[in-house]
């Protein structure tokens, strides 16, 4: 299995003695249903489910640990799990599945897991799931002692003022030092805590990019982005330091905050909850450049959105909405026929049928 850290890491790593093996504790305040994945000899194995009540713990992996890295997925009513691009086979009933490929062909689903790093020599490990932080004063405060030495002084001098259109923020990190050089125009998705990983995120071209605080981007630079609205376009320059199936991790050298573009109004009009005009069981929630789809309140998929002038193979047809599945990685291009009056009417390019959604206030 080839998997790389991609924008999400363990929630709260506590290398303290446990009864044995890998212990997972639930500090989220709601019941969590947990799955785990791990290496067993030459195979990848996934297992589930463990229902863990608030304040309780479970031991999905017993005995002395033989791997450094284990993987987990947790589901709870009304919560969206943010994985790290590590995919395993799963199913709805209790299971032990050997192998992480050809899941659908074998009658299973494929799901995104996050990583738990137990350290190089741990034989037992306790991992605590924590409630996601939704509102915070600043994720840049309170951990200055952990700051990246390189570039911190330069970025700290800029913290007095928030970033705005036309500004160029520089971190002091050199290009090509931390990974493959990268530059692209991205849509800002906000700064938050993703499974304990403090990061600002960006979306473009079917990918979600994470820049972690002090990982190695100086937190003082990223803190200046926190007050910016989601959907702000940015030119981001730096290095790609890791990849997942649909995510990548960035070390940021420079960010240029761009003014609203020709499609900013369309992106703004898409925000919020939508229900299908044909099937009221089908609903969408769009936040920034991310679309979450549901059926009968059950989660289906996450799509990364791009609003562009045209599809890759149909110049001048737009404006269009390109949706790329975070799970399956397939992309579809829709003509935006109407996005006004509380309606979103889309036509899949190459087809005549219109797909309509009504906004739910």
């Amino acid at each position: 299995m080839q998997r790389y850290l991609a924008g999400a890491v363990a929630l709260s790593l506590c290398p303290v003695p446990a009864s044995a093996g890998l212990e997972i504790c639930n500090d989220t305040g709601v019941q969590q249903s947990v799955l785990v994945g791990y290496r067993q000899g030459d195979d990848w194995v996934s297992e589930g489910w463990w229902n863990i009540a608030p304040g309780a713990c479970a031991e999905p992996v017993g005995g002395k640990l033989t791997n450094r890295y284990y993987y987990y997925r947790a589901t709870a009513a009304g919560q969206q799990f943010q994985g790290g691009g590590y995919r395993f086979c799963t199913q709805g009933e209790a299971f032990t599945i050997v192998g992480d490929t050809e899941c659908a062909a074998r009658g299973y689903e494929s799901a995104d897991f996050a990583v738990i790093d137990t350290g190089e020599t741990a034989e037992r490990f306790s991992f605590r799931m924590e409630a996601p932080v939704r509102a915070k004063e600043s994720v840049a405060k309170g951990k200055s002692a952990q700051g990246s030495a390189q570039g911190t002084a330069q970025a700290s001098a800029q913290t007095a003022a928030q970033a705005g259109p036309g500004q160029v923020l520089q971190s002091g990190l050199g290009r090509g030092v931390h990974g493959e050089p990268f530059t692209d125009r991205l849509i800002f998705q906000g700064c938050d805590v993703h499974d304990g990983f403090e990061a600002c995120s960006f979306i473009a071209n079917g990918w979600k990019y994470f820049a972690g605080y002090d990982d190695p981007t100086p937190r003082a630079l990223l803190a200046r982005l926190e007050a910016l609205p989601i959907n702000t376009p940015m030119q981001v320059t730096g290095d790609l330091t890791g990849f997942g199936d649909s995510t990548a991790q960035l070390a940021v050298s420079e960010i240029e905050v761009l003014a609203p573009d020709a499609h900013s109004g369309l992106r703004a009009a898409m925000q919020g909850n939508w229900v299908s005009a044909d099937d009221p069981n089908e609903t969408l929630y769009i936040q920034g450049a991310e679309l979450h789809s549901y059926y009968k309140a059950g989660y289906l998929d996450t799509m990364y959105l791009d609003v562009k002038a045209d599809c890759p193979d149909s110049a001048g047809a737009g404006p269009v909405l390109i949706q790329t599945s975070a799970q399956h990685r397939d992309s579809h291009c829709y003509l935006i026929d109407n996005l006004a009056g509380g309606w979103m009417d889309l036509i899949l390019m190459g087809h005549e049928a219109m797909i309509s959604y009504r906004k739910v206030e």
Side-chain angles (χ1 to χ4, degrees):
M1 178 187 73
Q2 294 183 344
R3 295 188 173 91
Y4 302 89
L5 180 62
V9 296
L11 295 177
S12 178
L13 307 185
C14 306
V16 296
S19 58
L22 176 65
E23 177 187 61
I24 297 180
C25 298
N26 180 8
D27 291 344
T28 67
V30 297
Q31 178 165 302
Q32 299 282 344
S33 297
V34 174
L35 307 85
V36 296
Y38 53 90
R39 188 84 178 187
Q40 188 175 71
D42 294 331
D43 297 314
W44 289 100
V45 176
S46 52
E47 293 187 290
W49 297 74
W50 286 264
N51 293 319
I52 309 178
C57 300
E59 187 185 280
V61 181
K64 293 183 179 180
L65 300 181
T66 57
N67 303 320
R68 173 173 179 173
Y69 298 106
Y70 291 82
Y71 306 86
Y72 83 103
R73 179 176 177 85
T75 63
Q79 293 189 1
Q80 171 70 36
F81 181 76
Q82 176 66 50
Y86 306 90
R87 304 201 72 83
F88 286 86
C89 299
T90 68
Q91 67 178 23
E93 301 175 349
F95 67 90
T96 297
I97 300 173
V98 177
D100 65 338
T101 60
E102 299 182 347
C103 299
R106 295 190 289 154
Y108 304 125
E109 298 177 355
S110 176
D112 193 11
F113 284 55
V115 66
I116 300 173
D117 185 350
T118 68
E120 295 183 358
T121 60
E123 294 182 348
R124 57 185 63 178
F125 196 83
S126 181
F127 171 78
R128 311 197 75 87
M129 298 184 294
E130 297 176 347
V133 177
R134 293 303 179 193
K136 57 186 185 306
E137 185 178 10
S138 169
V139 295
K141 297 181 180 180
K143 294 186 178 180
S144 57
Q146 301 176 8
S148 170
Q150 183 180 17
T152 299
Q154 178 178 354
S156 296
Q158 302 174 335
T159 57
Q162 295 294 333
Q167 288 190 285
V168 177
L169 311 179
Q170 296 180 331
S171 70
L173 299 181
R175 296 288 310 282
V177 175
H178 301 278
E180 178 185 348
F182 170 90
T183 185
D184 204 351
R185 183 183 178 283
L186 310 179
I187 299 299
F188 181 54
Q189 192 64 19
C191 301
D192 209 330
V193 178
H194 307 267
D195 286 350
F197 178 73
E198 298 174 333
C200 295
S201 60
F202 316 83
I203 291 177
N205 303 315
W207 285 83
K208 187 170 186 178
Y209 300 88
F210 291 90
Y213 286 72
D214 299 324
D215 190 34
T217 308
R219 62 180 53 237
L221 179 142
L222 294 176
R224 298 193 65 197
L225 304 180
E226 291 178 7
L228 289 176
I230 289 176
N231 274 330
T232 299
M234 299 177 175
Q235 186 74 20
V236 180
T237 300
D239 293 345
L240 288 169
T241 63
F243 291 92
D245 291 339
S246 61
T247 60
Q249 193 167 345
L250 292 173
V252 176
S253 299
E254 180 180 288
I255 292 178
E256 180 183 359
V257 182
L258 304 177
D261 58 30
H263 302 306
S264 291
L266 291 174
R267 286 194 296 268
M270 290 180 183
Q271 303 303 297
N273 293 287
W274 300 84
V275 61
S276 170
D278 298 318
D279 186 347
N281 292 310
E282 179 189 353
T283 58
L284 310 175
Y285 174 63
I286 299 177
Q287 182 182 38
E290 224 168 20
L291 180 155
H292 305 285
S293 62
Y294 302 85
Y295 193 80
K296 293 184 178 179
Y299 169 75
L300 293 178
D301 201 355
T302 294
M303 302 285 185
Y304 300 143
L305 307 180
D306 289 285
V307 181
K308 296 189 174 184
D310 48 48
C311 301
D313 56 355
S314 57
V320 299
L321 175 65
I322 302 175
Q323 300 182 4
T324 303
S325 168
Q327 295 187 40
H328 309 293
R329 304 307 295 145
D330 53 329
S331 294
H332 299 285
C333 189
Y334 296 87
L335 173 67
I336 303 174
D337 186 71
N338 173 60
L339 190 52
W343 287 92
M344 179 166 59
D345 301 319
L346 307 174
I347 300 174
L348 180 62
M349 297 301 291
H351 300 262
E352 296 183 358
M354 179 178 293
I355 306 171
S356 296
Y357 296 91
R358 176 178 53 83
K359 196 162 193 179
V360 180
E361 299 298 339

